[in-house]
Amino acid sequence: MLAGSAALVAAPAMGKAKAAKASWYDQAIIIDALGGVGDPYGPEDQLRLSDRAWNEMVETGVTLLRDTVFPVGNVADPWGDYQKDVASKHNILNANPDRLALVRTAADILKAKREKKFAWVMGTQDTSMVGGELDRLAQLKKDGVMTVQLTYNNRNLSGDGALEQANAGLSKLGRATIERIEAEKLLFDLSHGGARTMAEATAQAKRPLVISHTGARALTDHPRNTEDATIKAVADKGGVVGVYFMPFLTLDSHPKGTDLLAHVEHVANIAGEDHVGIGTDNGILPTILDPETKKKMDEWQAQRIKAGIASPGEAIGVYPLIEDYNSIDRYRRFADDLAKRGWSQARLEKLMGGNFLRVYKDAWGG
């Protein structure tokens, strides 16, 4: 779904039980390659994070999260909407200089970890705001936007998204856009792409790329999930495939924790342990499903359906999360559950952040 919706409805921890804190986890770089940062405890227009929200963010143990600069989809004024949203992101950063650190290089991530700040990467989930004006990609980079996703669910000028039945792949402009993304040394993301778009774009890419948030189509035949051949091709280019904590991991839209673990292990088996990560597509904080929150989420879902950007399985009453991992300690518990299935510490460190840290360094330096 969208990072903003997850951040909007973030809520307190669900219960006080915590998994045992493993020392490696606290020392490691923990990266969520797609999610949302937000404060559910103050007014919506409040820029400064509340102490409660900040303390809970710290408690998650996450080092870095990639957030989304909107818009997505074919809106009336995508460039104008982008300019407004990137300005709002910088206003949040400027209100929290002691807590949030904007990432432009991999070195910024390590510096944030040392200084006990939360590393924040900005990225798009569409190129609708760029269109045929490829010089805008240079402006995105100046604005601190370091990752660019080619398409959202529907077709744009660059190619077909995941929901396009024609599955027409890349356009000529799409190929030129990829070349410019790589020339600017931005990180290229293929999430939400149509199957043919993803395959053709991976074949064209000259630099390591990512699919920041997806699932394994071999396990669940859903258009938001990725075919094994493309997962392997991304890995062969040195890239990383992130698995989301989303309803699309099962066709009934109600996945359990074991479904998530199965998708992660499948991607690891296809791509290799050096090319798998997580991009939850959730907020950094858990979601409490009280009546007020459900109302907000249902309204957001209705907007997505009306706009024609909702994926199969999205519906009123279906929420973008996995209930088994809907807690502040979910990242720790997720790693613990994989350890119980035989994952070594070294393998977990790669999955939980090391692999994305490597591809970020390849893309941005530092």
Side-chain angles (χ1 to χ4, degrees):
M1 207 157 285
L2 299 177
S5 65
L8 175 69
V9 297
M14 300 183 69
K16 297 182 179 180
K18 296 179 183 179
K21 291 186 179 181
S23 60
W24 73 264
Y25 181 96
D26 296 303
Q27 297 300 317
I29 300 294
I30 308 298
I31 292 176
D32 188 338
L34 196 286
V37 174
D39 187 342
Y41 306 121
E44 289 187 14
D45 59 350
Q46 179 175 305
L47 299 176
R48 175 71 177 175
L49 291 169
S50 67
D51 290 344
R52 179 179 178 184
W54 171 244
N55 290 336
E56 290 182 1
M57 288 171 64
V58 171
E59 191 175 347
T60 69
V62 175
T63 308
L64 175 148
L65 181 137
R66 185 205 132 185
D67 210 336
T68 299
V69 181
F70 293 97
V72 299
N74 301 310
V75 297
D77 182 16
W79 183 245
D81 289 353
Y82 161 78
Q83 290 177 308
K84 292 176 184 176
D85 198 52
V86 78
S88 72
K89 296 290 195 295
H90 279 283
N91 288 339
I92 294 170
L93 284 163
N94 292 336
N96 296 275
D98 54 330
R99 290 173 170 174
L100 302 179
L102 182 64
V103 170
R104 293 177 183 269
T105 73
D108 293 335
I109 301 169
L110 304 181
K111 184 172 183 286
K113 178 78 171 180
R114 290 194 303 271
E115 295 179 353
K116 301 186 185 307
K117 293 183 179 181
F118 190 86
W120 201 15
V121 173
M122 293 196 297
T124 76
Q125 285 199 69
D126 208 331
T127 51
S128 61
M129 70 285 290
V130 175
E133 304 292 332
L134 297 187
D135 287 346
R136 288 177 175 175
L137 289 164
Q139 182 60 50
L140 262 63
K141 187 173 183 179
K142 289 180 182 177
D143 293 339
V145 175
M146 300 305 297
T147 78
V148 177
Q149 185 176 294
L150 192 67
T151 69
Y152 196 64
N153 283 340
N154 293 333
R155 177 179 296 154
N156 64 20
L157 293 178
S158 289
D160 276 8
L163 302 189
E164 293 290 347
Q165 294 182 0
N167 195 28
L170 288 176
S171 66
K172 289 190 291 184
L173 177 61
R175 294 183 185 279
T177 301
I178 295 169
E179 290 179 2
R180 186 62 182 269
I181 290 169
E182 294 191 328
E184 294 291 345
K185 296 186 177 179
L186 298 167
L187 181 61
F188 180 39
D189 189 348
L190 275 175
S191 302
H192 286 267
R196 185 175 169 189
T197 298
M198 296 172 82
E200 292 178 352
T202 304
Q204 176 171 328
K206 305 270 191 307
R207 307 179 78 225
L209 69 159
V210 299
I211 306 172
S212 61
H213 56 301
T214 189
R217 198 154 187 172
L219 298 187
T220 306
D221 189 11
H222 187 284
R224 276 291 287 111
N225 295 333
T226 304
E227 296 173 349
D228 284 356
T230 300
I231 292 172
K232 182 66 165 59
V234 169
D236 289 345
K237 290 283 175 83
V240 178
V241 176
V243 179
Y244 45 31
F245 290 35
M246 289 289 283
F248 315 131
L249 297 178
T250 59
L251 293 180
D252 67 3
S253 300
H254 295 286
K256 299 186 180 302
T258 51
D259 297 309
L260 170 63
L261 299 177
H263 277 261
V264 169
E265 292 190 322
H266 182 87
V267 172
N269 289 336
I270 297 300
E273 66 179 42
D274 294 322
H275 304 283
V276 61
I278 57 170
T280 64
D281 209 356
N282 288 186
I284 188 68
L285 301 179
T287 301
I288 186 166
L289 297 177
D290 60 13
E292 181 180 358
T293 298
K294 287 182 177 180
K295 182 175 181 291
K296 289 181 180 179
M297 296 176 78
D298 289 343
E299 290 171 351
W300 181 258
Q301 186 63 71
Q303 292 174 18
R304 288 176 55 79
I305 293 169
K306 183 178 180 181
I309 60 174
S311 295
E314 290 190 42
I316 303 300
V318 173
Y319 304 116
L321 51 85
I322 295 176
E323 289 195 42
D324 289 350
Y325 288 112
N326 190 35
S327 61
I328 283 181
D329 63 347
R330 66 173 165 204
Y331 299 91
R332 297 178 192 272
R333 290 195 298 110
F334 168 70
D336 287 346
D337 288 345
L338 285 169
K340 293 172 185 175
R341 294 164 76 106
W343 283 56
S344 68
Q345 176 182 325
R347 199 179 191 205
L348 286 169
E349 287 178 349
K350 292 177 182 180
L351 169 74
M352 297 302 292
N355 290 337
F356 271 114
L357 180 62
R358 183 196 70 248
V359 83
Y360 291 165
K361 182 177 183 295
D362 290 342
W364 310 323

